[in-house]
Amino acid sequence: MATTLRLEKVDPSNFDAAIALKVRPDQDHLVAPVVKSLAEAYVHPEVAWPRLILDGDRLVGFLMAFFDIDFAGDGTGTDIRSGLWRLNIAAGQQGHGYGRFAVHAVATEIRRRGGTRLTACWHPGNDGPEDFYLGLGFRLTGEMSGDQRVGELELA
């Protein structure tokens, strides 16, 4: 049976399922819960792009991208970036290509908006997702965003 991966907006009909989505318990410290992401999307609607990841009709994950933010946060507007803000793949659903699909979907949307690079941040350490991102072609920038490493994927 072929899978049909797609993104869907969060709306009243799928909100409860969205906030019920959980990563593995050993990953709780690596990514914020979906409900926090949706709250952040509510207060930053001009830059946040929250989407559910579905395989057919089955919810398997959540992503939230950001577009055209002042990454340095210094108000100069000299470091404008777009990228992946959050990626939550449901417990028991990892290793099936859903994360790869999510990154590619965000890359496609960034390209559609005229962007040429995708920025992502992750917690360092053996239990973090660094190998996943590096395996997709991200390169470390040497920067930190809070306590997270910053990586970039060139889209050109």
Side-chain angles (χ1 to χ4, degrees), residues 124-142:
N126 294 334
D127 62 344
E130 186 162 285
D131 289 343
F132 166 75
Y133 287 109
L134 296 179
L136 290 176
F138 281 81
R139 65 170 182 75
L140 293 169
T141 66

Side-chain angles (χ1 to χ4, degrees), residues 82-94:
S82 297
L84 185 60
W85 192 344
R86 296 273 160 63
L87 179 57
N88 305 55
I89 302 298
Q93 300 301 319
Q94 295 172 13

Side-chain angles (χ1 to χ4, degrees), residues 15 17 24 32 49 71-73 90 97 99-100 112-113 138:
F15 174 77
R24 293 190 334 240
W49 195 68
F71 196 78
R100 177 179 297 274
R112 188 186 73 73
R113 294 170 182 241
F138 281 81

